Amino acid sequence: MDQPFVTGSFPTATGEIPQIASTLTFHDHCGTFKVRWGVGRHDYKVDPGLYALGSPDENSPVLVTGNYKMSFDVLRSSVRERNYWILVLDTDGVNVWCAAGKGTFGTGELVDRIASTRLAEVVAHRRIVLPQLAGPGIAAHEVKKRSGFKVVYGPILAEHINRFVDAGFEATPEMRRRAFSLRERIILIPVELVDALKTAAIVAPILLVVGGLVGAGSFLANVASNGLFAVAALIAAILAGAVVTPILLPWLPGRAFSLKGLLPGVAAAGILAAMRYDPTGTAANQLEILAWFLLIPALATFLSMNFTGASTYTSLSGVRKEMRYAVPAQIAAALIGAALWIGSGFAA
């Protein structure tokens, strides 16, 4: 694939390998911007293998990362003006934290990549530096046993790597902690929002048609009354789960992301229910309001769970446990809510 960051070739004991630049270009920044908005996200990769940054020798440290280009770019731009070997694993274009959870940044891939690049013939030492967030996918003792290389976990942030190396591969407590600041949470919103809106573009016409078929009025009158309101509820649920939840994440109750998304979802449902409330208290109106109190939180909590892969608020086992109870509950609430919404159109 096209790799404009490669500036030439670098000689090693095993032959020529790509030599890369540490300075990000306008092309790199544009690529990052597009991916932040969900454009070409699944194809934003670099070729796995061994790269030379600067002019490393047999004693230079080996840094390991995944082949998601944004991760690769952050690493190479954070260690500029230094000499490193960078070993890129094939994580199928997924960042280190998520790839470790999925197993693509795993022991087998690491051992195989060490062997395929003949790393033992390139460097005289037997030490590789892995991102701390790769821990869930790596069995360090197995790597040592199968490859001869000792795994050393570097700092969480790439910007601390030079200090980590200069300190004899020792991390300070600061290097082991990871915040999830407001700015970092906001940066993640566009890609989740765009993905959700793409699905909404498919679902919205269906809601308009179904809304037009239920109710006592004509099709067009029902579309204007029921269908458009359903679309507004869909958008409100998306904003609650994909925008409000990550912004308010530290202050929302609960540890599970589905629980954190519940409060914004209920709040959005409450606002729309107040707009839809009929003071005469008809059965149709009561059923419809109940439907939105099930449908909106169900979607909002589902979308809020997408941020588990971008945060250290939870663990891999915690995510799996959450999905076992949250997803069935979300599906049940959505199905019951949909039935109540359709039923409300035929209620007296």
Side-chain angles (χ1 to χ4, degrees):
M1 62 185 68
D2 181 35
Q3 301 199 122
F5 51 84
V6 175
T7 58
S9 58
F10 189 79
T12 72
T14 62
E16 302 283 329
I17 68 168
Q19 188 172 37
I20 60 175
S22 61
T23 302
L24 302 186
T25 65
F26 179 74
H27 179 272
D28 295 319
H29 291 297
C30 284
T32 296
F33 179 80
K34 289 191 295 184
V35 168
R36 290 292 190 194
W37 287 92
V39 179
R41 168 65 186 84
H42 300 293
D43 298 314
Y44 204 51
K45 310 173 186 178
V46 303
D47 292 335
L50 186 63
Y51 295 85
L53 182 70
S55 299
D57 59 26
E58 63 180 7
N59 297 312
S60 297
V62 179
L63 310 180
V64 184
T65 189
N67 75 327
Y68 177 39
K69 187 173 182 294
M70 193 181 298
S71 299
F72 180 76
D73 285 349
V74 168
L75 176 59
R76 65 188 176 96
S77 64
S78 297
V79 293
R80 63 185 61 180
E81 299 181 0
R82 299 291 285 262
N83 301 315
Y84 290 113
W85 303 103
I86 296 182
L87 184 65
V88 178
L89 307 188
D90 185 358
T91 58
D92 197 28
V94 176
N95 68 71
V96 171
W97 173 244
C98 292
K102 293 180 178 180
T104 51
F105 197 118
T107 302
E109 167 61 16
L110 176 57
V111 171
D112 290 346
R113 196 60 57 183
I114 290 173
S116 66
T117 58
R118 299 164 63 186
L119 184 62
E121 300 175 47
V122 176
V123 296
H125 60 83
R126 293 296 178 266
R127 178 181 55 231
I128 51 177
V129 180
L130 270 64
Q132 182 176 315
L133 294 181
I138 299 295
H141 66 285
E142 281 292 323
V143 175
K144 175 69 174 178
K145 178 181 177 181
R146 294 166 59 183
S147 71
F149 279 83
K150 176 185 177 181
V151 169
V152 176
Y153 288 105
I156 289 182
L157 296 180
E159 65 189 51
H160 294 154
I161 287 177
N162 288 341
R163 287 169 50 201
F164 171 78
V165 172
D166 293 343
F169 301 93
E170 293 291 334
T172 64
E174 172 199 4
M175 296 179 187
R176 295 299 186 206
R177 288 194 295 266
R178 184 70 178 105
F180 195 24
S181 67
L182 177 61
R183 177 181 177 275
E184 291 169 332
R185 298 196 301 275
I186 290 176
I187 285 175
L188 296 174
I189 289 174
V191 66
E192 300 297 341
L193 183 60
V194 169
D195 282 348
L197 291 177
K198 287 178 181 178
T199 303
I202 298 173
V203 175
I206 298 174
L207 293 177
L208 291 175
V209 172
V210 174
L213 296 175
V214 299
S218 66
F219 177 80
L220 290 180
N222 289 339
V223 167
S225 176
N226 301 326
L228 289 178
F229 188 83
V231 172
L234 173 64
I235 299 301
I238 290 173
L239 293 176
V243 178
V244 178
T245 297
I247 289 176
L248 300 181
L249 197 64
W251 304 285
L252 292 172
R255 184 175 180 85
F257 276 60
S258 55
L259 290 178
K260 286 182 174 295
L262 183 60
L263 185 58
V266 171
I271 293 171
L272 287 178
M275 296 169 58
R276 198 67 167 171
Y277 177 68
D278 182 355
T280 61
T282 64
N285 184 246
Q286 292 175 357
L287 286 176
E288 183 184 12
I289 288 177
L290 179 58
W292 295 126
F293 267 107
L294 290 171
L295 285 165
I296 294 175
L299 179 55
T301 57
F302 179 79
L303 291 174
S304 67
M305 291 171 63
N306 289 338
F307 292 90
T308 57
S311 167
T312 54
Y313 273 52
T314 187
S315 63
L316 179 59
S317 60
V319 172
R320 289 172 175 168
K321 180 180 179 181
E322 178 180 1
M323 291 184 68
R324 282 198 296 270
Y325 73 78
V327 174
Q330 290 159 353
I331 293 174
L335 291 175
I336 295 172
L340 290 175
W341 177 55
I342 295 173
S344 69
F346 301 100

